[in-house]
Amino acid sequence: MNALRRIVWQNDTPAGRVFDSAVMAIILAGLVLDSVATVDDIAARLGTVLGTASTAITGIFVTEYILRVATAPKRWKYITSFYGVVDLAAILPTLLGLDLRSIRAVRLFRLLRVLKVTRSRAVQRLGHALLSVKEEAAIFVLTTGLLLYFAATGIYFFEHEAQPDVFGSIPGSLWWAVATLTTVGYGDTYPITAGGRIFTTLVLLCGMAIVAAPAGLVAAALTKTKET
């Protein structure tokens, strides 16, 4: 059991590195298979093969999860940990008969552990930076929520009579508010009245500030963290 535990949990040994590399290769292979399976021509010709391969990969993930639970120094700690939840989330939908194979992509988070990214000074500085601006971030989130509601209410006021199908209610106008404030501009809904267009211009200007604000906060906090 101790030898198996070292292979499964210690990636600083040759056997452990081989184990982790194999798991990563299987994860990537699974993602490729799931992607290829969505191509109609390929799925029509190789549907059975792809389905069998996907089932086999799920079986490997289930076996790996059982191994990790069985060999974990502290089982409950692993089960409730971030990586434990990720490992379970990757297999549970398939075991329940849900066609959510793409959720297996969450297992790529294990690359952070394999590459030891979570221990790097850059990640630690980023964590300290995010914590140092948590109050500003909370204010930003609250302000953004208020602006979204204000934008949806405003565009409804200007446009609901001219476009009742598009801006027939304030909740229905929220999609336009999100697309406009984030400056995505999908173009599927847009104002046609003069008041609505002027209001949209103001919302777009606010949106530019909203997009830039979080990046500025984090950048300033990172600079301060590096200096200290």
Side-chain angles (χ1 to χ4, degrees), residues 145-179:
L146 292 174
L147 282 174
L148 282 173
Y149 182 77
F150 173 74
T153 303
I155 199 66
Y156 168 77
F157 173 79
F158 286 111
E159 295 290 325
H160 77 279
E161 291 185 0
Q163 302 187 77
D165 294 336
V166 179
F167 300 102
S169 66
I170 292 176
S173 301
L174 276 173
W175 169 247
W176 173 89
V178 171

Short mmCIF file of all heavy atoms in Angstrom, two decimals, residues 145-179:
data_model
loop_
_atom_site.label_atom_id
_atom_site.label_comp_id
_atom_site.label_asym_id
_atom_site.label_seq_id
_atom_site.Cartn_x
_atom_site.Cartn_y
_atom_site.Cartn_z
N GLY A 145 -23.70 45.50 -10.69
CA GLY A 145 -25.07 45.00 -10.61
C GLY A 145 -26.09 46.13 -10.71
O GLY A 145 -27.10 46.01 -11.42
N LEU A 146 -25.80 47.23 -10.02
CA LEU A 146 -26.71 48.38 -10.09
C LEU A 146 -26.75 48.98 -11.49
O LEU A 146 -27.82 49.35 -11.99
CB LEU A 146 -26.27 49.44 -9.08
CG LEU A 146 -26.43 49.07 -7.60
CD1 LEU A 146 -25.82 50.14 -6.71
CD2 LEU A 146 -27.91 48.87 -7.25
N LEU A 147 -25.58 49.05 -12.14
CA LEU A 147 -25.53 49.60 -13.49
C LEU A 147 -26.28 48.71 -14.48
O LEU A 147 -26.95 49.20 -15.40
CB LEU A 147 -24.08 49.77 -13.94
CG LEU A 147 -23.34 50.98 -13.38
CD1 LEU A 147 -21.88 50.94 -13.78
CD2 LEU A 147 -23.99 52.28 -13.88
N LEU A 148 -26.18 47.39 -14.29
CA LEU A 148 -26.91 46.48 -15.16
C LEU A 148 -28.42 46.71 -15.05
O LEU A 148 -29.13 46.77 -16.05
CB LEU A 148 -26.57 45.03 -14.81
CG LEU A 148 -25.24 44.48 -15.33
CD1 LEU A 148 -24.98 43.10 -14.75
CD2 LEU A 148 -25.23 44.42 -16.85
N TYR A 149 -28.87 46.85 -13.81
CA TYR A 149 -30.31 47.07 -13.62
C TYR A 149 -30.72 48.43 -14.17
O TYR A 149 -31.76 48.56 -14.82
CB TYR A 149 -30.66 46.98 -12.14
CG TYR A 149 -32.14 47.16 -11.87
CD1 TYR A 149 -33.02 46.11 -12.12
CD2 TYR A 149 -32.65 48.37 -11.42
CE1 TYR A 149 -34.38 46.26 -11.90
CE2 TYR A 149 -34.00 48.54 -11.21
CZ TYR A 149 -34.87 47.48 -11.45
OH TYR A 149 -36.21 47.63 -11.25
N PHE A 150 -29.90 49.45 -13.94
CA PHE A 150 -30.19 50.79 -14.45
C PHE A 150 -30.23 50.78 -15.98
O PHE A 150 -31.11 51.39 -16.60
CB PHE A 150 -29.14 51.78 -13.95
CG PHE A 150 -29.26 53.15 -14.56
CD1 PHE A 150 -30.28 54.00 -14.16
CD2 PHE A 150 -28.37 53.60 -15.52
CE1 PHE A 150 -30.42 55.27 -14.71
CE2 PHE A 150 -28.49 54.86 -16.08
CZ PHE A 150 -29.52 55.70 -15.68
N ALA A 151 -29.28 50.07 -16.60
CA ALA A 151 -29.24 50.01 -18.06
C ALA A 151 -30.47 49.29 -18.61
O ALA A 151 -31.08 49.73 -19.60
CB ALA A 151 -27.97 49.29 -18.52
N ALA A 152 -30.86 48.18 -17.97
CA ALA A 152 -32.04 47.44 -18.42
C ALA A 152 -33.30 48.28 -18.26
O ALA A 152 -34.18 48.29 -19.14
CB ALA A 152 -32.16 46.13 -17.64
N THR A 153 -33.40 49.00 -17.15
CA THR A 153 -34.56 49.85 -16.91
C THR A 153 -34.62 51.00 -17.92
O THR A 153 -35.68 51.32 -18.47
CB THR A 153 -34.52 50.41 -15.48
OG1 THR A 153 -34.46 49.33 -14.55
CG2 THR A 153 -35.77 51.24 -15.19
N GLY A 154 -33.46 51.62 -18.17
CA GLY A 154 -33.41 52.76 -19.08
C GLY A 154 -33.77 52.39 -20.50
O GLY A 154 -34.57 53.06 -21.16
N ILE A 155 -33.18 51.27 -20.98
CA ILE A 155 -33.46 50.89 -22.37
C ILE A 155 -34.91 50.44 -22.51
O ILE A 155 -35.53 50.64 -23.56
CB ILE A 155 -32.48 49.80 -22.86
CG1 ILE A 155 -32.46 49.75 -24.39
CG2 ILE A 155 -32.83 48.45 -22.28
CD1 ILE A 155 -31.89 50.99 -25.03
N TYR A 156 -35.47 49.87 -21.47
CA TYR A 156 -36.89 49.49 -21.50
C TYR A 156 -37.76 50.74 -21.63
O TYR A 156 -38.72 50.77 -22.42
CB TYR A 156 -37.26 48.72 -20.23
CG TYR A 156 -38.74 48.55 -20.04
CD1 TYR A 156 -39.46 47.60 -20.77
CD2 TYR A 156 -39.44 49.36 -19.14
CE1 TYR A 156 -40.83 47.46 -20.61
CE2 TYR A 156 -40.81 49.23 -18.97
CZ TYR A 156 -41.50 48.28 -19.71
OH TYR A 156 -42.86 48.15 -19.54
N PHE A 157 -37.41 51.78 -20.89
CA PHE A 157 -38.17 53.03 -20.93
C PHE A 157 -38.16 53.63 -22.33
O PHE A 157 -39.19 54.10 -22.84
CB PHE A 157 -37.61 54.02 -19.92
CG PHE A 157 -38.21 55.39 -20.00
CD1 PHE A 157 -39.45 55.65 -19.44
CD2 PHE A 157 -37.54 56.43 -20.65
CE1 PHE A 157 -40.01 56.92 -19.52
CE2 PHE A 157 -38.09 57.68 -20.74
CZ PHE A 157 -39.33 57.94 -20.17
N PHE A 158 -37.00 53.61 -22.98
CA PHE A 158 -36.87 54.23 -24.30
C PHE A 158 -37.40 53.37 -25.44
O PHE A 158 -37.88 53.89 -26.45
CB PHE A 158 -35.40 54.57 -24.58
CG PHE A 158 -34.88 55.75 -23.82
CD1 PHE A 158 -33.94 55.59 -22.80
CD2 PHE A 158 -35.32 57.03 -24.09
CE1 PHE A 158 -33.46 56.67 -22.09
CE2 PHE A 158 -34.84 58.13 -23.40
CZ PHE A 158 -33.91 57.94 -22.39
N GLU A 159 -37.33 52.05 -25.30
CA GLU A 159 -37.55 51.19 -26.46
C GLU A 159 -38.76 50.27 -26.37
O GLU A 159 -39.12 49.68 -27.39
CB GLU A 159 -36.30 50.31 -26.68
CG GLU A 159 -35.05 51.07 -27.05
CD GLU A 159 -35.12 51.66 -28.45
OE1 GLU A 159 -35.71 51.02 -29.34
OE2 GLU A 159 -34.57 52.75 -28.66
N HIS A 160 -39.41 50.14 -25.22
CA HIS A 160 -40.42 49.09 -25.13
C HIS A 160 -41.63 49.35 -26.03
O HIS A 160 -42.27 48.42 -26.50
CB HIS A 160 -40.87 48.90 -23.67
CG HIS A 160 -41.81 49.94 -23.16
ND1 HIS A 160 -41.37 51.17 -22.71
CD2 HIS A 160 -43.17 49.94 -23.03
CE1 HIS A 160 -42.42 51.87 -22.32
NE2 HIS A 160 -43.52 51.16 -22.50
N GLU A 161 -41.94 50.61 -26.28
CA GLU A 161 -43.07 50.90 -27.17
C GLU A 161 -42.70 50.66 -28.64
O GLU A 161 -43.50 50.17 -29.43
CB GLU A 161 -43.55 52.33 -26.97
CG GLU A 161 -44.23 52.56 -25.62
CD GLU A 161 -44.79 53.97 -25.51
OE1 GLU A 161 -44.64 54.74 -26.49
OE2 GLU A 161 -45.36 54.30 -24.45
N ALA A 162 -41.47 51.00 -28.99
CA ALA A 162 -41.03 50.84 -30.38
C ALA A 162 -40.70 49.38 -30.71
O ALA A 162 -40.91 48.93 -31.84
CB ALA A 162 -39.80 51.72 -30.64
N GLN A 163 -40.17 48.63 -29.71
CA GLN A 163 -39.80 47.23 -29.93
C GLN A 163 -40.32 46.37 -28.78
O GLN A 163 -39.55 45.88 -27.96
CB GLN A 163 -38.28 47.08 -30.02
CG GLN A 163 -37.62 47.90 -31.12
CD GLN A 163 -36.15 47.59 -31.26
OE1 GLN A 163 -35.75 46.57 -31.82
NE2 GLN A 163 -35.33 48.47 -30.74
N PRO A 164 -41.62 46.17 -28.71
CA PRO A 164 -42.18 45.39 -27.60
C PRO A 164 -41.71 43.95 -27.58
O PRO A 164 -41.64 43.33 -26.51
CB PRO A 164 -43.69 45.49 -27.83
CG PRO A 164 -43.84 45.79 -29.29
CD PRO A 164 -42.66 46.63 -29.65
N ASP A 165 -41.38 43.39 -28.72
CA ASP A 165 -40.92 42.00 -28.75
C ASP A 165 -39.50 41.86 -28.21
O ASP A 165 -39.14 40.81 -27.64
CB ASP A 165 -40.96 41.45 -30.18
CG ASP A 165 -42.37 41.35 -30.72
OD1 ASP A 165 -43.30 41.26 -29.88
OD2 ASP A 165 -42.55 41.39 -31.95
N VAL A 166 -38.68 42.87 -28.39
CA VAL A 166 -37.27 42.82 -27.97
C VAL A 166 -37.09 43.36 -26.56
O VAL A 166 -36.37 42.77 -25.73
CB VAL A 166 -36.38 43.59 -28.97
CG1 VAL A 166 -34.92 43.57 -28.52
CG2 VAL A 166 -36.52 43.02 -30.37
N PHE A 167 -37.71 44.51 -26.29
CA PHE A 167 -37.58 45.15 -24.99
C PHE A 167 -38.94 45.22 -24.30
O PHE A 167 -39.38 46.26 -23.85
CB PHE A 167 -37.00 46.57 -25.15
CG PHE A 167 -35.64 46.60 -25.78
CD1 PHE A 167 -35.48 46.94 -27.13
CD2 PHE A 167 -34.51 46.29 -25.05
CE1 PHE A 167 -34.22 46.99 -27.71
CE2 PHE A 167 -33.25 46.31 -25.62
CZ PHE A 167 -33.11 46.67 -26.95
N GLY A 168 -39.59 44.07 -24.20
CA GLY A 168 -40.93 44.03 -23.65
C GLY A 168 -41.01 44.07 -22.15
O GLY A 168 -42.07 44.29 -21.57
N SER A 169 -39.87 43.84 -21.47
CA SER A 169 -39.85 43.87 -20.01
C SER A 169 -38.44 44.20 -19.54
O SER A 169 -37.47 44.08 -20.31
CB SER A 169 -40.28 42.51 -19.44
OG SER A 169 -39.33 41.51 -19.78
N ILE A 170 -38.33 44.59 -18.27
CA ILE A 170 -37.01 44.90 -17.72
C ILE A 170 -36.15 43.63 -17.63
O ILE A 170 -34.98 43.65 -18.03
CB ILE A 170 -37.14 45.60 -16.36
CG1 ILE A 170 -37.73 46.99 -16.56
CG2 ILE A 170 -35.77 45.70 -15.66
CD1 ILE A 170 -38.01 47.75 -15.27
N PRO A 171 -36.68 42.50 -17.12
CA PRO A 171 -35.85 41.28 -17.13
C PRO A 171 -35.41 40.88 -18.54
O PRO A 171 -34.28 40.42 -18.74
CB PRO A 171 -36.78 40.23 -16.52
CG PRO A 171 -37.70 41.00 -15.65
CD PRO A 171 -37.94 42.29 -16.40
N GLY A 172 -36.31 41.06 -19.51
CA GLY A 172 -35.95 40.73 -20.89
C GLY A 172 -34.91 41.65 -21.48
O GLY A 172 -34.21 41.28 -22.43
N SER A 173 -34.78 42.83 -20.91
CA SER A 173 -33.78 43.80 -21.39
C SER A 173 -32.41 43.59 -20.76
O SER A 173 -31.44 44.24 -21.17
CB SER A 173 -34.26 45.23 -21.08
OG SER A 173 -35.50 45.50 -21.69
N LEU A 174 -32.33 42.68 -19.78
CA LEU A 174 -31.05 42.47 -19.10
C LEU A 174 -29.99 41.90 -20.03
O LEU A 174 -28.81 42.20 -19.87
CB LEU A 174 -31.25 41.54 -17.90
CG LEU A 174 -31.72 42.21 -16.60
CD1 LEU A 174 -32.04 41.16 -15.55
CD2 LEU A 174 -30.66 43.19 -16.09
N TRP A 175 -30.41 41.07 -21.00
CA TRP A 175 -29.41 40.53 -21.95
C TRP A 175 -28.75 41.66 -22.72
O TRP A 175 -27.54 41.67 -22.91
CB TRP A 175 -30.08 39.55 -22.89
CG TRP A 175 -29.18 39.15 -24.05
CD1 TRP A 175 -29.35 39.45 -25.36
CD2 TRP A 175 -27.96 38.41 -23.97
NE1 TRP A 175 -28.33 38.93 -26.12
CE2 TRP A 175 -27.45 38.29 -25.28
CE3 TRP A 175 -27.25 37.83 -22.91
CZ2 TRP A 175 -26.28 37.61 -25.57
CZ3 TRP A 175 -26.08 37.16 -23.20
CH2 TRP A 175 -25.60 37.06 -24.52
N TRP A 176 -29.56 42.61 -23.17
CA TRP A 176 -28.98 43.76 -23.87
C TRP A 176 -28.05 44.52 -22.96
O TRP A 176 -26.96 44.95 -23.37
CB TRP A 176 -30.10 44.69 -24.34
CG TRP A 176 -29.59 45.98 -24.92
CD1 TRP A 176 -29.26 46.23 -26.23
CD2 TRP A 176 -29.33 47.20 -24.22
NE1 TRP A 176 -28.81 47.51 -26.37
CE2 TRP A 176 -28.84 48.13 -25.14
CE3 TRP A 176 -29.46 47.58 -22.88
CZ2 TRP A 176 -28.47 49.42 -24.78
CZ3 TRP A 176 -29.10 48.86 -22.52
CH2 TRP A 176 -28.61 49.77 -23.46
N ALA A 177 -28.44 44.68 -21.68
CA ALA A 177 -27.62 45.41 -20.72
C ALA A 177 -26.27 44.73 -20.51
O ALA A 177 -25.22 45.39 -20.49
CB ALA A 177 -28.36 45.55 -19.39
N VAL A 178 -26.29 43.41 -20.37
CA VAL A 178 -25.03 42.67 -20.17
C VAL A 178 -24.14 42.79 -21.41
O VAL A 178 -22.94 43.08 -21.30
CB VAL A 178 -25.33 41.19 -19.86
CG1 VAL A 178 -24.05 40.36 -19.87
CG2 VAL A 178 -26.04 41.05 -18.52
N ALA A 179 -24.71 42.57 -22.60
CA ALA A 179 -23.92 42.62 -23.84
C ALA A 179 -23.35 44.02 -24.08
O ALA A 179 -22.24 44.17 -24.59
CB ALA A 179 -24.78 42.19 -25.02
#
